[in-house]
Amino acid sequence: MIRALAPVAALLLSVALLLAGNGLQNTLAPVRASLEGFSPLALGGLGAAYYIGFGLGCFFGPSLVRRAGHIRTFAAMVAIASAAALIHPLFVDPTVWQGMRFVTGICFAVLFMVIESWLNEKATNETRGVVFSVYIVVNLGMVSLGQLLVTLDDPKAFSLFALASILVSVAAVPLAMTKSEQPTPPANVRVRLLKLYKLSPVGVVGVLAVGLTNGPFWSLGPVFAEKAGGSAQAAAIFMAIGALAGAIGQWPLGRTSDKMDRRRVIIVACFGAVLGGVGAAIFGNTSETARLASIFIFGAFALPLYALSAAHMNDMVEQDGFVEAAGGLLLTFAIGAAIGPLLASAAMSAWGQSSLFLYTASIHVLLICFTVYRMTRRDTVAAEDRGEFADASVMAQTVATVESFAGDDDEEPVSQEKPSA
């Protein structure tokens, strides 16, 4: 294991620092905005702006890397993201903050592209599983730790934004000093969402639903928890438990989906997400224990839905179509995650804070209905035609950013020889 990780040790250290800073800012920004009296729609706009920027960063990133190389691109994006974090406390204004979240989204899309393309190139077929398993552990662990860093000081103080900026800035040092050779710059490939939908309606709609629900969770969940728990510390613990639950839920749901129709597991996961969401909505303001138990259930079932949907899509794709499928799913997620916070914030504005999780429950119910409908239209995929589930989180799935830009513009990677499901 040590031998497998040695070529990417500096990169993983950069990842740890980067994600700790981003995790801190992802919770700090909405909590501080709520304390400053931003309207629910303005709060939703913060989340939407981040994911719009993230989606655009997926398109612009390859050009930046081809122009400047991986290390210089990484350093440039870190510098911009660090500066954006510091602008928040200097100009407390919804429009400025939404602009900074947009910029941050672009930066982190490019940063994830650099990170994961580097991991892919340095890993071999024999070590890839170990390398990405450690990467996912670092990813989820540092995001959770970053959220807990909110408890170190008053969210209205300058210090927490400064800490987020410091962590992001220092993340450039290990990668800048590495002796490891840079990966080959990526090329472009077309992403055709309609073809992907025809190939696997449940895969595409499932990922869209994940964006529509998990986007609001990451963007507005801290606001819900801060209002319900009465402190930034309560919000940090709430979000950290949700993220850790998502990591725990990946393996059992994923492995179960390898043994049966994945759509059945998607339905089960949606039911669990509905249960957790309704529990958070009903008991969130009455009991801390019930609130934390509900978000644990929500995280354990809702966060693995991306990986389940992606695995179902990959069951339908020929070997040379994984690249386009991965990129298309990431773009679909970004679209949903940009729209979701706006819809959820509108619901919160009309019906109160608890409607955040009633909104997510509604989306998961719709996904259940759609998946059941598709199961009446097409049988399950034969076991010999299915790929193996790979543990992943929505955060870690940005590996699709990397892979979606590998290949030639003229190739037709997505096959439709397999039946759609």
Side-chain angles (χ1 to χ4, degrees):
M1 184 177 192
I2 294 177
R3 183 175 299 177
L5 296 178
V8 293
L11 182 61
L12 291 174
L13 179 56
S14 289
V15 169
L17 294 167
L18 187 69
L19 292 178
N22 194 41
L24 169 57
Q25 190 175 350
N26 284 345
T27 296
L28 176 61
V31 168
R32 173 68 180 272
S34 177
L35 294 174
E36 294 290 350
F38 286 21
S39 69
L41 288 177
L43 292 171
L46 294 178
Y50 177 87
Y51 287 109
I52 291 172
F54 193 94
L56 290 176
C58 296
F59 289 102
F60 298 145
S63 297
L64 294 175
V65 174
R66 284 193 295 271
R67 177 185 178 88
H70 284 72
I71 292 179
R72 289 180 179 177
T73 300
F74 189 92
M77 293 300 102
V78 160
I80 296 171
S82 178
L86 291 177
I87 289 174
H88 285 76
L90 297 178
F91 302 96
V92 183
D93 177 81
T95 303
V96 173
W97 281 33
Q98 288 165 7
M100 292 304 97
R101 295 302 290 163
F102 172 80
V103 169
T104 302
I106 292 176
C107 290
F108 273 88
V110 178
L111 288 168
F112 281 128
M113 188 194 75
V114 170
I115 290 165
E116 294 177 9
S117 61
W118 202 308
L119 288 174
N120 263 321
E121 182 153 317
K122 295 304 175 184
T124 65
N125 289 338
E126 291 75 23
T127 64
R128 196 176 309 278
V130 171
V131 168
F132 273 90
S133 294
V134 172
Y135 170 67
I136 290 168
V137 170
V138 171
N139 193 311
L140 292 171
M142 297 312 293
V143 167
S144 300
L145 175 62
Q147 291 162 347
L148 292 175
L149 292 177
V150 173
T151 63
L152 295 179
D153 203 354
D154 184 350
K156 285 193 172 184
F158 180 82
S159 58
L160 290 179
F161 283 102
L163 178 57
S165 176
I166 291 169
L167 288 170
V168 172
S169 296
V170 175
V173 175
L175 194 62
M177 299 301 293
T178 184
K179 295 181 180 179
S180 180
E181 185 178 350
Q182 296 188 67
T184 303
N188 284 320
V189 67
R190 287 176 293 171
V191 174
R192 296 161 292 180
L193 295 183
L194 183 58
K195 275 196 171 185
L196 291 176
Y197 176 80
K198 290 179 179 179
L199 197 64
S200 176
V202 170
V204 172
V205 173
V207 167
L208 179 64
V210 170
L212 289 170
T213 54
N214 291 8
F217 167 68
W218 293 113
S219 303
L220 299 171
V223 178
F224 168 86
E226 189 272 332
K227 298 283 188 185
S231 68
Q233 289 78 10
I237 294 171
F238 180 86
M239 296 301 295
I241 287 178
L244 291 175
I248 293 171
Q250 296 283 341
W251 192 87
L253 288 173
R255 294 309 176 201
T256 301
S257 76
D258 283 339
K259 299 178 175 64
M260 59 189 297
D261 188 339
R262 293 196 205 277
R263 294 171 296 181
R264 295 182 182 276
V265 182
I266 289 173
I267 291 172
V268 170
C270 286
F271 270 117
V274 170
L275 178 64
V278 171
I282 294 175
F283 302 111
N285 293 313
T286 59
S287 167
E288 180 180 11
T289 301
R291 180 170 64 250
L292 296 181
S294 296
I295 200 56
F296 183 90
I297 295 171
F298 176 88
F301 288 100
L303 298 189
L305 272 170
Y306 186 108
L308 292 170
S309 299
H312 181 65
M313 167 64 78
N314 288 332
D315 290 340
M316 308 296 161
V317 176
E318 297 294 345
Q319 187 69 30
D320 60 354
F322 292 142
V323 166
E324 182 175 352
L329 291 182
L330 180 65
L331 179 59
T332 301
F333 168 78
I335 292 171
I339 298 172
L342 297 177
L343 297 177
S345 63
M348 295 169 72
S349 180
W351 299 299
Q353 300 295 321
S354 296
S355 60
L356 167 63
F357 285 102
L358 294 179
Y359 159 81
T360 64
S362 299
I363 299 298
H364 287 126
V365 168
L366 291 176
L367 180 56
I368 290 172
C369 295
F370 181 79
T371 305
V372 170
Y373 165 74
R374 287 304 308 172
M375 290 177 69
T376 67
R377 308 296 295 175
R378 191 71 67 181
D379 291 335
T380 185
V381 180
E384 60 269 19
D385 292 332
R386 301 216 255 120
E388 186 176 354
F389 177 88
D391 289 346
S393 69
V394 171
M395 299 287 294
Q397 280 297 323
T398 47
V399 68
T401 316
V402 184
E403 296 174 339
S404 66
F405 299 107
D408 297 326
D409 289 332
D410 296 329
E411 62 183 357
E412 298 283 332
V414 175
S415 169
Q416 296 193 49
E417 294 178 3
K418 294 185 181 180
S420 65

